Amino acid sequence: MNGILRCKGRLCNSPLHETAKFPSWLACEHHMTKLIIRDCHHKVMHNGVRETPTELRSRFWLTKGGQVIRKQIYNCVVCRRYEGRSYKVEPSSDMPEFRFKEGYSFSSTGVDFAGPLFVKTVFRREIQVSKVYICLFTCGSTKAIHIEVTPSFTTQAFI
């Protein structure tokens, strides 16, 4: 225990091992600290920024821990290889010409269907369940919408 600085916390009366009750203090810029972080990162199988500090704090206390650990993991060759590059957002394309033309609403239209929805109707004390869809019309220039409820047709209706 000579020459090792230990931190004292609230775990003095716990049945944990002495190294867990009184973790060794590590200087954040020391080379040995970087080697210990690398070893802990290897022990948790390169599992990331959350598991490495947990493994490290079971025996050591590190000032500026999160910052130093993130820096070490960022420089890890194995993690960099398997994670790859971050997702790059493609530049958005130009807006189509019909979005800027002046004219009547719904002169350029997009159509989409949603559903099925099940609707209950009461007719002469009988409950009937029918399947309906929503037809959504969207104006290309003003983004106005118009909604219509369309009935479901069975295949027998078209025979």
Side-chain angles (χ1 to χ4, degrees), residues 27-151:
C28 62
E29 295 297 323
H30 199 274
H31 179 68
M32 188 66 158
T33 302
K34 294 176 183 175
L35 294 175
I36 291 171
I37 292 171
R38 203 175 297 161
D39 180 56
C40 288
H41 185 58
H42 181 70
K43 281 182 183 177
V44 297
M45 309 293 240
H46 301 275
N47 219 5
V49 181
R50 290 188 180 188
E51 285 79 9
T52 304
T54 305
E55 175 68 25
L56 182 75
R57 287 182 188 134
S58 66
R59 295 176 293 154
F60 303 102
W61 183 256
L62 179 62
T63 54
K64 299 181 187 175
Q67 182 180 2
V68 175
I69 291 169
R70 271 193 302 273
K71 186 176 181 182
Q72 284 295 312
I73 291 175
Y74 179 77
N75 294 327
C76 177
V77 176
V78 175
C79 292
R80 295 285 286 222
R81 177 181 173 106
Y82 287 111
E83 285 187 20
R85 294 186 178 179
S86 60
Y87 177 72
K88 185 177 178 183
V89 179
E90 294 291 325
S92 58
S93 60
D94 294 336
M95 294 180 83
E97 186 179 330
F98 67 83
R99 291 286 303 271
F100 299 106
K101 284 185 179 177
E102 290 187 21
Y104 297 109
S105 293
F106 295 99
S107 58
S108 62
T109 307
V111 180
D112 197 8
F113 279 92
L117 301 171
F118 296 97
V119 177
K120 292 181 182 179
T121 56
V122 179
F123 182 71
R124 295 185 184 167
R125 294 188 181 180
E126 290 183 21
I127 298 175
Q128 295 178 347
V129 179
S130 59
K131 191 188 313 184
V132 297
Y133 291 87
I134 295 175
C135 184
L136 180 72
F137 297 96
T138 307
C139 176
S141 58
T142 63
K143 289 294 189 183
I145 60 170
H146 176 76
I147 299 173
E148 290 283 334
V149 178
T150 58

